[in-house]
């Protein structure tokens, strides 16, 4: 079953800052499933399948060294964090010594508490601005979704299920609806069980961890959020981007700074790359996806500038550029079925932010 794409659902998703890498999930057993893949010697990626149709978990990465493990993000919920930790323990008996948090969107740090409980000496590290946003923006941003929108959506699903049962639809259809409802309820319960763990160590420009023979560069960008924290391993030529890159559909909800996002991609494009691990989706083995994102962003920004110069207001600009969505999506190799997500999670927000950024600098608040 593909994810629900009603207006109502999109609102729930946006409030919770869920993610645009919408995957197709066919069986209940696949909801919130963690998959481990080896990217390079001692570098592992943990992807998480969608939690029902209301939430998504960001990628987590383990960098294993002789002196301990560095985690990059912990995915969206404590349960998922626990599964990822169990996977890490199968790979090494070294303790986790650092957890790097990429940005404030909940789907990347909901598992922090699990690592804190298992390794009391672990250090949580992120950019200073990101710590501030995690502490002062994330909770308030997610509250309406957790307190009202998601419970309302679950009630709506229950009614739909009751209607389907009364109509005697096929048992297979009913089973799918029940699985989905159970997954969404479980997700809400997990989100409500989060104990927020914030970074204790921050940096302002960059930081480098020298650990067990590895050099782990921790860097800052202002791309999707003001405190984006990403990692580059120069020896292994591995780039770990957080949501600066999302595979296959870029994600601009919950902030985004179009001009600096483009500058960041230009900078990342200069790096030597053997693998790129995005914030969602599979790792890439070269820079081609990054370059396609860069070209698309530049194209959309140029079109926004032209529309504004020609006197279009924000609504007229959005309307005109939405008509070109199919064209833009094709730049990323996306198909017709990806268009609703491409528009809702990327294009609409990017165009809006780009237009306002041309008028005045955007502030750190995601709704500035
Ligand atoms: Zn994300």
């Amino acid at each position: 079953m593909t994810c629900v794409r009603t207006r109502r659902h999109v609102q729930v998703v946006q409030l919770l800052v869920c993610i645009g890498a919408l995957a197709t999930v066919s069986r209940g057993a696949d909801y919130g499933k963690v998959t481990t893949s080896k990217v390079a010697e001692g570098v592992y990626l943990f992807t998480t399948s969608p939690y029902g149709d209301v939430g998504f978990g960001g990628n987590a990465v383990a960098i294993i060294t002789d002196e301990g493990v560095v985690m990059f993000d912990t995915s969206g919920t404590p349960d998922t964090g626990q599964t990822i930790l169990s996977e890490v323990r199968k790979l090494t008996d070294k303790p986790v010594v650092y957890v790097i948090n990429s940005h404030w969107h909940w789907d990347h740090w909901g598992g922090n508490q699990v690592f804190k409980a298992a390794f009391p000496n672990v250090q949580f590290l992120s950019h200073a601005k990101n710590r501030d946003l995690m502490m002062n923006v994330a909770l308030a941003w997610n509250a309406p979704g957790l307190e009202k929108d998601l419970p309302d959506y679950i009630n709506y699903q229950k009614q739909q299920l009751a209607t389907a049962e009364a109509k005697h639809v096929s048992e297979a259809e009913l089973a799918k609806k029940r699985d989905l409802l159970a997954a969404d309820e479980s997700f809400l319960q997990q989100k409500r069980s989060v104990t927020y763990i914030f970074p204790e160590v921050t940096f302002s420009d960059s930081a480098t961890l020298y650990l067990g023979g590895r050099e782990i560069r921790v860097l800052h960008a202002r791309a999707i959020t003001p405190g984006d924290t990403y990692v580059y391993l120069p020896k292994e030529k591995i780039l770990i981007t957080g949501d600066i890159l999302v595979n296959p559909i870029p994600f601009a909800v919950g902030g985004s700074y179009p001009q600096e996002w483009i500058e960041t991609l230009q900078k990342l494009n200069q790096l030597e790359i053997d693998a790129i691990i995005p914030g969602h989706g599979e790792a890439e083995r070269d820079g081609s996806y990054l370059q396609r994102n860069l070209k698309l962003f530049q194209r959309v920004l140029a079109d926004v500038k032209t529309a504004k110069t020609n006197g279009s207001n924000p609504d007229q600009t959005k309307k005109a550029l939405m008509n070109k969505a199919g064209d833009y999506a094709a730049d990323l190799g996306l198909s017709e079925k990806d268009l609703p997500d491409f528009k809702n999670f990327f294009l609409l927000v990017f165009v809006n932010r780009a237009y306002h950024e041309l008028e005045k600098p955007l502030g750190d608040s995601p709704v500035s």
Side-chain angles (χ1 to χ4, degrees):
M1 176 186 283
T2 53
C3 293
V4 178
R5 297 192 175 95
T6 60
R7 172 180 281 274
R8 177 180 187 78
H9 175 67
V10 167
Q11 284 171 347
V12 170
V13 164
Q14 290 186 347
L15 280 165
L16 290 169
V17 190
C18 302
I19 190 57
L22 297 182
T24 299
V25 176
S26 56
R27 297 196 318 277
D30 283 342
Y31 293 135
K33 186 180 168 213
V34 172
T35 303
T36 303
S37 50
K38 183 175 176 178
V39 177
E41 205 51 51
V43 180
Y44 292 84
L45 164 63
F46 308 97
T47 55
T48 307
S49 66
Y51 303 103
D53 65 347
V54 290
F56 296 84
N59 285 346
V61 182
I63 304 163
I64 299 171
T65 84
D66 292 342
E67 292 176 56
V69 180
V70 177
M71 292 298 302
F72 183 91
D73 281 343
T74 58
S75 199
T77 70
D79 279 12
T80 308
Q82 193 62 55
T83 307
I84 291 169
L85 173 58
S86 306
E87 290 292 301
V88 171
R89 283 192 149 134
K90 285 183 211 165
L91 298 165
T92 178
D93 57 4
K94 302 286 181 204
V96 175
V97 288
Y98 286 98
V99 172
I100 298 166
N101 286 133
S102 67
H103 65 299
W104 66 266
H105 295 171
W106 71 264
D107 52 316
H108 295 263
W109 58 290
N112 276 9
Q113 70 197 63
V114 171
F115 292 86
K116 180 78 177 171
F119 308 102
N121 295 324
V122 65
Q123 302 257 285
F124 288 80
L125 167 68
S126 195
H127 189 265
K129 274 213 164 132
N130 189 43
R131 178 177 188 269
D132 184 41
L133 289 160
M134 286 166 78
M135 295 182 82
N136 299 313
V137 169
L139 277 56
W141 178 273
N142 287 332
L146 292 179
E147 286 161 17
K148 183 162 188 338
D149 299 295
L150 191 47
D152 282 357
Y153 180 66
I154 285 171
N155 284 334
Y156 165 77
Q157 276 183 299
K158 283 180 181 166
Q159 287 161 13
Q160 295 290 101
L161 176 60
T163 305
E165 283 168 341
K167 283 185 178 166
H168 303 293
V169 305
S170 73
E171 199 45 49
E173 268 307 305
L174 289 177
K176 267 194 202 172
K177 285 184 187 296
R178 288 184 191 120
D179 277 353
L180 182 62
L181 174 60
D184 287 353
E185 284 180 316
S186 159
F187 171 71
L188 178 59
Q189 183 273 324
Q190 281 190 56
K191 288 308 299 174
R192 284 177 167 165
S193 76
V194 171
T195 303
Y196 293 98
I197 303 290
F198 303 105
E200 304 143 321
V201 185
T202 64
F203 67 97
S204 54
D205 184 21
S206 69
T208 304
L209 305 176
Y210 296 95
L211 205 67
R214 288 198 194 266
E215 179 179 343
I216 301 168
R217 291 186 192 161
V218 187
L219 301 147
H220 171 238
R222 193 171 188 258
I224 178 164
T225 73
D228 290 334
T229 298
Y230 66 98
V231 157
Y232 182 60
L233 308 181
K235 206 159 63 184
E236 300 83 349
K237 302 188 178 74
I238 295 174
L239 173 64
I240 308 170
T241 64
D243 282 358
I244 296 168
L245 275 175
V246 168
N247 185 6
I249 300 174
F251 185 72
V253 178
S256 73
Y257 299 83
Q259 290 177 30
E260 287 155 289
W261 199 351
I262 288 169
E263 285 164 21
T264 301
L265 293 178
Q266 285 170 325
K267 192 171 152 189
L268 299 187
N269 195 32
Q270 303 302 313
L271 296 171
E272 285 188 86
I273 297 292
D274 274 353
I276 299 179
I277 304 178
H280 296 256
E282 299 304 320
E284 302 276 323
R285 287 293 160 186
D286 58 32
S288 58
Y289 183 70
L290 187 159
Q291 286 147 16
R292 285 203 301 275
N293 270 258
L294 174 56
K295 266 194 185 156
L296 168 71
F297 292 10
Q298 287 172 319
R299 183 181 173 195
V300 176
L301 179 59
D303 287 351
V304 172
K305 275 185 187 164
T306 303
K308 189 169 183 296
T309 305
N310 292 339
S312 292
N313 67 29
D315 284 342
Q316 291 163 334
T317 304
K318 272 188 262 182
K319 198 169 171 215
L321 268 60
M322 278 318 116
N323 288 331
K324 295 171 73 176
D327 237 31
Y328 294 138
D331 284 1
L332 289 182
L334 299 173
S335 63
E336 193 72 22
K337 75 172 173 49
D338 297 317
L339 266 188
D341 297 336
F342 177 75
K343 286 181 187 174
N344 286 322
F345 295 118
F346 172 69
L347 193 56
L348 264 171
V349 186
F350 189 92
V351 169
N352 189 45
R353 300 280 290 177
Y355 191 100
H356 291 298
E357 196 178 39
L358 291 170
E359 290 180 317
K360 65 176 174 60
L362 298 169
D364 286 347
S365 159
V367 291
S368 63

